């Protein structure tokens, strides 16, 4: 089975775990080739920092797209995020039209524009309009509440945002373009102490909610981690429900375990292989992630170890047809704790 390939059109921040700094290792760890197409280079991300540098990469986008088209490269997905200028919205749209030659290429759009009722300071009204046009081409969009309001042309101030179940359902269904586009609305809170997503799936036509415990603090870049996990899972053949569940629930590893011991749980995805081969692959992955003996009860592990076991259970299923090596050198373990939906 060929390795899935994703064109990631995002910015790159030199300091801070966000955008391409997150997308590249997450997608790589999921067995997906990430082909970055930077929209801008920033010395740091814009959250909480001042004086950051900003290098506009607009002129490079069409050159790279033309070269890739000349080479006949096929992408299983185009995945877009932060844009540095209005022109980049239209160039990204041209990229999608060029490389989505058939329905085998999906377009996942994270319409990065703002959060908590405010538009990011680098975004202009014209850029927001351009992002809305770009999102019209998407198969899946992943907005937060503020971005959803902008896409709908509604008041995006915090006080005007919906915060009840009926309102969330209305938002995703209206954003679905009469059921033709899947929508993953992030930052949804219905009950105290929980946060998650409201999901409209164009395949089933249904709307559902997925939640996890809210830890009471937000971290920059977690939305990028979530959207990257979603993208990786979709191109690996997961359903939208499975992809969203993986992103939402990953922070709480105990929600993902099926069996009492490390070996049983991690090896479940390989149950079709001969027993000796299954044990070999499990042991190889556990050793690479620095985990203890596979026969230990999961309940006896620390929270950090349980997070690693949860990651192993995901990775062994995604990588069951390839060599299980160097995972810990592909994705840093600290990223595991960032799988928190905001």
């Amino acid at each position: 089975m060929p390795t899935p390939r994703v064109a990631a059109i995002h910015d790159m921040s030199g300091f801070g775990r966000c955008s391409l700094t997150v997308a590249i290792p997450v997608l790589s760890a999921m067995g997906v080739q990430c082909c970055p197409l930077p929209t801008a280079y920033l010395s740091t991300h814009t959250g909480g920092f001042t004086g950051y540098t900003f290098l506009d990469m607009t002129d490079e986008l069409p050159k790279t797209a033309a070269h890739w088209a000349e080479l006949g490269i096929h992408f299983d997905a185009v995945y877009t995020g932060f844009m540095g200028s209005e022109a980049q919205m239209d160039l990204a749209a041209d990229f999608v039209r060029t490389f989505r030659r058939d329905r085998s290429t999906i377009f996942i759009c994270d319409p990065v524009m703002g959060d908590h009722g405010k538009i990011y300071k680098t975004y202009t009204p014209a850029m927001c309009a351009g992002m809305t046009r770009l999102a019209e081409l998407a198969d899946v969009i992943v907005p937060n509440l503020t971005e959803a309001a902008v896409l709908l042309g509604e008041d995006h101030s915090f006080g005007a945002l919906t915060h009840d179940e009926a309102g969330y359902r209305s938002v995703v269904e209206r954003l679905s373009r009469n059921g033709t586009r899947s929508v993953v609305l992030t930052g949804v809170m219905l009950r105290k102490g929980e946060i998650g997503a409201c999901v409209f799936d164009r395949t089933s036509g249904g709307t559902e909610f997925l939640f996890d415990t809210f830890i009471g603090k937000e971290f920059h870049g977690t939305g990028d981690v979530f959207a990257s996990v979603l993208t990786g899972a979709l191109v690996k053949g997961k359903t939208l429900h499975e992809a969203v569940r993986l992103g939402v629930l990953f922070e709480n590893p105990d929600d993902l375990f099926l069996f009492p011991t490390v070996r049983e749980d991690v090896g479940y995805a390989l149950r079709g292989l001969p027993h000796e081969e299954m044990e070999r692959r499990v042991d190889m992955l556990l050793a690479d992630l620095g985990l203890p003996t596979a026969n230990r009860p999961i309940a006896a592990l620390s929270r950090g170890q349980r997070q690693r076991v949860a990651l192993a259970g995901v990775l062994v299923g995604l990588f069951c047809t390839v060599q299980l090596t160097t995972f810990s050198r592909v994705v840093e373990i600290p990223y595991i704790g960032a799988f928190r939906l905001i």
Side-chain angles (χ1 to χ4, degrees), residues 185-188 195-197 210 214 222-223 226 247-248 338-342:
L185 180 66
T186 65
V188 169
I195 192 167
L210 292 167
F214 181 53
T222 52
F226 174 80
V248 170
F339 278 64
R340 163 66 57 200
L341 178 63
I342 290 181

Side-chain angles (χ1 to χ4, degrees), residues 190-214:
L190 288 177
R191 295 176 293 274
K192 184 177 180 180
E194 291 186 342
I195 192 167
C198 179
V199 183
F200 175 84
D201 187 344
R202 69 178 182 182
T203 301
S204 66
T207 300
E208 64 175 333
F209 292 86
L210 292 167
F211 291 100
D212 188 19
T213 304
F214 181 53

Side-chain angles (χ1 to χ4, degrees), residues 183-184 196-199 208 210 226 229-230 233-234 239-250 341:
V183 181
V184 180
C198 179
V199 183
E208 64 175 333
L210 292 167
F226 174 80
V229 172
L230 176 78
L234 289 176
T239 66
L240 184 62
H241 168 84
E242 292 170 331
V244 174
R245 184 177 182 274
L246 178 59
V248 170
L249 297 182
F250 204 90
L341 178 63

Side-chain angles (χ1 to χ4, degrees), residues 305-325:
Q305 289 173 327
R306 295 200 307 276
Q307 286 179 315
R308 293 188 184 206
V309 172
L311 176 63
V314 173
L315 292 179
V316 77
L318 292 175
F319 285 87
C320 62
T321 60
V322 300
Q323 189 71 22
L324 294 173
T325 59

Side-chain angles (χ1 to χ4, degrees), residues 171-191:
V171 167
V172 298
E173 288 167 7
R174 286 183 290 139
L175 283 173
S176 74
R177 295 180 314 192
N178 295 318
T180 62
R181 173 173 65 183
S182 293
V183 181
V184 180
L185 180 66
T186 65
V188 169
M189 301 183 77
L190 288 177
R191 295 176 293 274

